[in-house]
């Protein structure tokens, strides 16, 4: 099946919320994605490592090592990799400008696309009132999220046996709760306003695990999604246009989606 997939090359890839160190991290999906997607620049938009969960109990399987090694290998081959820490890997915020194995750490950055438009790139947790002001409540929410992810694991096994594609219970449940939907909308507006204050054309962020590309009062709002629920990334083409990619692992032994034509080797594509 993998012979039907061609490697795609982009100007920039944006990836966030991998949560390495969490049992929910879909390292198999991400590794598969990285095999078939190359870029001149890769920007890691926070929560790549889940320091919160690692503090509770150490969990670092081979898949986590494989993701780190894959990124380091891309850096050695010439890709520029920038790591913008989030709230789960906030320990890296003490090292702005430092390079680790060719990976550059930055608190935030302005990305200029090929068409000249400028985008503020940041994780986004500083605009989440719960994370910023009520840390205990954020941790409690994190535990509840773990429970939803555990249900995901069981459902994924059942759907795999029935030869059905991967489907995220936690993502579905989140969008059924009115308060969560309202929070997403407010978060998007506040982040877009921050982009406006920085005199840029748009903003690229992560944090809320809700991948989307849309215009908010003249500001292009782009959220990278995550590699826990939706397995999504944002890609910038050589002409400065953006694409939202939802990736499903290409393997007969894992959850799969029907392959599209070889010219667009991704599970789902939404172009900007």
């Amino acid at each position: 099946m993998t012979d039907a997939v061609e490697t795609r090359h982009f100007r920039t890839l944006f990836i966030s919320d991998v949560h390495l160190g969490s049992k929910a991290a879909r390292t198999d999906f991400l590794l598969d994605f990285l095999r078939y997607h190359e870029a001149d620049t890769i920007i890691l938009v926070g929560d790549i490592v889940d320091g919160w969960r690692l503090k509770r109990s150490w969990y670092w399987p081979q898949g986590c090592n494989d993701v780190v090694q894959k990124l380091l290998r891309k850096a050695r081959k010439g890709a520029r990799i920038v790591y913008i820490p989030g709230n789960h890997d906030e320990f890296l915020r003490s090292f702005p400008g430092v390079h680790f194995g060719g990976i550059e750490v930055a608190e935030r950055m302005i990305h200029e696309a090929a068409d000249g438009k400028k985008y503020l790139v940041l994780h986004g947790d500083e605009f989440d009132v719960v994370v910023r002001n009520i840390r205990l409540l954020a941790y409690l929410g994190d535990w509840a999220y773990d429970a939803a992810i555990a249900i995901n694991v069981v459902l994924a096994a059942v759907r795999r046996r029935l030869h059905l594609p991967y489907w995220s219970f936690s993502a579905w449940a989140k969008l059924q709760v009115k308060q969560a939907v309202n929070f997403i909308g407010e978060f998007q507006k506040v982040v877009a306003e921050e982009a406006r204050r920085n005199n840029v054309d748009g903003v690229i962020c992560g944090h809320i695990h809700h991948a989307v590309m849309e215009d908010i009062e003249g500001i292009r709002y782009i959220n990278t999604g995550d590699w826990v629920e939706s397995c999504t990334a944002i890609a910038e083409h050589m002409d400065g246009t953006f694409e939202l990619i939802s990736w499903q692992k290409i393997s007969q032994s894992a959850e799969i989606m029907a392959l599209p034509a070889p010219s667009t080797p991704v599970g789902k594509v939404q172009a900007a």
Side-chain angles (χ1 to χ4, degrees):
M1 291 183 64
T2 54
D3 292 339
V5 178
E6 301 170 0
T7 300
R8 307 178 74 196
H9 190 98
F10 297 96
R11 186 171 184 265
T12 317
L13 281 174
F14 300 85
I15 297 169
S16 79
D17 297 274
V18 179
H19 291 274
L20 296 177
S22 162
K23 293 181 180 179
R26 301 310 304 255
T27 55
D28 52 345
F29 281 38
L30 180 55
L31 281 168
D32 202 55
F33 174 83
L34 292 173
R35 289 189 188 103
Y36 297 105
H37 297 78
E38 300 288 346
D40 299 334
T41 301
I42 299 174
I43 301 179
L44 306 173
V45 195
D47 285 1
I48 304 303
V49 175
D50 198 324
W52 289 12
R53 288 182 175 84
L54 289 173
K55 283 182 180 179
R56 294 206 298 264
S57 62
W58 186 260
Y59 177 78
W60 195 265
Q62 185 58 43
C64 295
N65 282 333
D66 292 341
V67 168
V68 173
Q69 289 300 322
K70 187 70 171 176
L71 291 170
L72 290 173
R73 194 174 302 120
K74 287 181 181 292
R76 288 196 300 270
K77 290 182 177 180
R80 181 192 179 197
I81 300 183
V82 181
Y83 193 140
I84 298 174
N87 51 305
H88 283 258
D89 46 19
E90 60 190 352
F91 58 90
L92 285 172
R93 286 177 169 159
S94 302
F95 304 97
V98 176
H99 288 69
F100 296 97
I103 298 178
E104 171 189 348
V105 178
E107 185 175 351
R108 57 167 63 183
M109 66 181 291
I110 301 295
H111 172 73
E112 184 171 349
D115 59 4
K117 292 183 178 179
K118 295 182 179 180
Y119 295 83
L120 174 65
V121 186
L122 73 173
H123 182 63
D125 60 289
E126 58 265 54
F127 303 103
D128 183 340
V129 176
V130 172
V131 171
R132 221 170 76 196
N133 298 328
I134 316 175
R135 180 57 66 93
L136 177 59
L137 184 57
Y139 279 120
L140 290 174
D142 203 42
W143 290 331
Y145 186 70
D146 282 346
I149 292 298
I151 295 174
N152 265 0
V153 173
V154 175
L155 284 179
V158 173
R159 292 177 66 86
R160 195 161 52 233
R161 288 180 177 275
L162 296 175
H163 304 289
L164 296 173
Y166 175 73
W167 176 77
S168 173
F169 165 79
S170 54
W172 172 84
K174 182 168 63 180
L175 293 177
Q176 306 311 304
V177 180
K178 183 178 180 180
Q179 289 87 343
V181 175
N182 289 341
F183 166 77
I184 291 172
E186 289 303 314
F187 176 86
Q188 293 177 173
K189 290 178 183 177
V190 172
V191 174
E193 185 57 35
E194 177 69 7
R196 186 173 288 105
R197 283 195 294 270
N198 282 266
N199 298 312
V200 294
D201 301 287
V203 60
I204 302 172
C205 63
H207 184 55
I208 60 172
H209 295 208
H210 184 66
V212 70
M213 294 191 294
E214 62 183 50
D215 291 318
I216 301 177
E217 298 179 356
I219 296 292
R220 188 63 165 161
Y221 171 86
I222 301 175
N223 195 295
T224 54
D226 66 278
W227 289 86
V228 173
E229 300 174 76
S230 55
C231 298
T232 52
I234 296 294
E236 180 200 355
H237 291 271
M238 296 301 175
D239 61 358
T241 58
F242 286 84
E243 178 180 325
L244 170 57
I245 303 174
S246 178
W247 182 257
Q248 299 298 323
K249 190 177 190 300
I250 299 179
S251 169
Q252 292 180 338
S253 61
E255 303 90 341
I256 62 172
M257 295 185 70
L259 281 177
S263 60
T264 55
V266 295
K268 298 177 184 175
V269 174
Q270 179 183 344

